[in-house]
Every structure is written in C-alpha cells, then in structure tokens.
Amino acid sequence: MVLARLVRPTWGFVSIARLPEWIARLPADDPLLAAQAELVGAGERRAWGTSEFRRRAVGAGVRLIVGTGIDHVGQLCEMDLAGLPMGTEGADILDGMLCELGVFDRGPLRGTARRKRTGRLTPEELAATTGIPERFQVVTALYLATYASRLSDKYPTLRHKASAVAHF
C-alpha cells in the first residue's frame, strides 16, 4: 500500500521499513526506481562522502520521497528536507546530491545551516518560544524590550535572558 501510494506513511514508519527490499521487487519502470537511480548517479558524479554515507543518503532520499508521497526527486522542496529529523544519517550528503541534480538553486548546506532561523525573534516571540507560561509572556516581553533599549540589544544576550527567565 505504501509503494502504491495508497497511504502516506509517517517518517517513523518509513525510517524503519525495509524499503530496499520492497523497492527491489518493483517493476523496472516504477518512478521510485528512477528516483533512486538519479540519486545514486548524483552521488557518484560528485563522490560526496564515503560510499557508505552515499548509500545512506540515497536511502534517506528514497524514504523522503515515499514519506512525502511524490513521484520523483525534482518534486522535493526545502521544507521536505528540513522535515528530516535531526541526526538523520546522510542528510547533508542528500542535500548535496539534490543541489547537484538542480533541485535546489543553491550550494549544499550542512544541517546547522539548513535549520538555522532566518531572522531575529521579537521580544514577544522570544517569550512565547522559550516555554514561559502564557500568563507571564506579556511581562517577559516587556522586560526583554526594556532590557534591549536600556542595557544591551545584542540578540544572543536577549535569547539568554529569555531562557533564564523561563528557567525561573
């Protein structure tokens, strides 16, 4: 049912499924086999990492394709790659392979660069994301805004202040 795209499995299921054995039984014209061959070719052209990590990257790519319910590599997007859990083996090499194939119009990025926030959070957003109870978020945001205007507007300092208040 998974390979026929009748159901869309979760990453938890796809990550432990024996997909290589399932894929080996597919007909030669199946799009999943073509996607796998495309990823293998990209890995061999650039020789990303060791052969073991290239194999893991191809596996992660195929699992990602199955998990998202798409038919070929070109349909993957940044959000699909960002949705991989932290520590997924081969994710960085998979990113490089997708850049090599022209799926992404950028250079390859490591996990930390792919996942980093694109901008500063406001004091209200900092108060909300650090786990401060809702009834204290308004006063915490006011404290952070005042701290930024009177003492230091350095973003790492504000993040640490928000974290310290959350622990308190």
Side-chain angles (χ1 to χ4, degrees), residues 50-84:
T50 65
S51 61
E52 176 63 20
F53 274 105
R54 285 194 306 272
R55 185 187 65 74
R56 290 178 184 181
V58 169
V62 170
R63 292 175 195 285
L64 191 59
I65 289 170
V66 169
T68 55
I70 59 176
D71 285 330
H72 56 83
V73 176
Q75 292 175 317
L76 287 172
C77 66
E78 294 278 354
M79 293 304 295
D80 295 331
L81 196 59
L84 288 174

Side-chain angles (χ1 to χ4, degrees), residues 12-28:
F13 176 79
V14 172
S15 66
I16 61 170
R18 300 174 71 104
L19 281 182
E21 293 174 12
W22 297 357
I23 292 171
R25 297 176 183 259
L26 290 172

Side-chain angles (χ1 to χ4, degrees), residues 63-145:
R63 292 175 195 285
L64 191 59
I65 289 170
V66 169
T68 55
I70 59 176
D71 285 330
H72 56 83
V73 176
Q75 292 175 317
L76 287 172
C77 66
E78 294 278 354
M79 293 304 295
D80 295 331
L81 196 59
L84 288 174
M86 291 288 283
T88 300
E89 291 184 344
D92 291 344
I93 295 173
L94 175 61
D95 184 81
M97 289 175 174
L98 294 173
C99 291
E100 172 75 19
L101 292 170
V103 175
F104 302 139
D105 59 350
R106 59 167 173 75
L109 299 173
R110 294 185 55 85
T112 53
R114 273 195 317 275
R115 296 178 186 275
K116 73 179 179 183
R117 196 176 321 278
T118 57
R120 292 174 59 135
L121 297 178
T122 65
E124 293 80 14
E125 292 169 333
L126 278 172
T129 58
T130 53
I132 295 172
E134 191 172 335
R135 65 179 185 247
F136 300 119
Q137 287 181 10
V138 173
V139 71
T140 302
L142 180 62
Y143 167 73
L144 292 172

Side-chain angles (χ1 to χ4, degrees), residues 1-54:
M1 291 180 68
V2 170
L3 294 181
R5 310 251 190 340
L6 296 174
V7 295
R8 182 180 290 177
T10 63
W11 180 260
F13 176 79
V14 172
S15 66
I16 61 170
R18 300 174 71 104
L19 281 182
E21 293 174 12
W22 297 357
I23 292 171
R25 297 176 183 259
L26 290 172
D29 62 342
D30 192 86
L32 200 52
L33 283 174
Q36 183 180 26
E38 203 173 354
L39 288 170
V40 168
E44 290 174 354
R45 279 193 301 276
R46 269 290 182 92
W48 300 97
T50 65
S51 61
E52 176 63 20
F53 274 105
R54 285 194 306 272

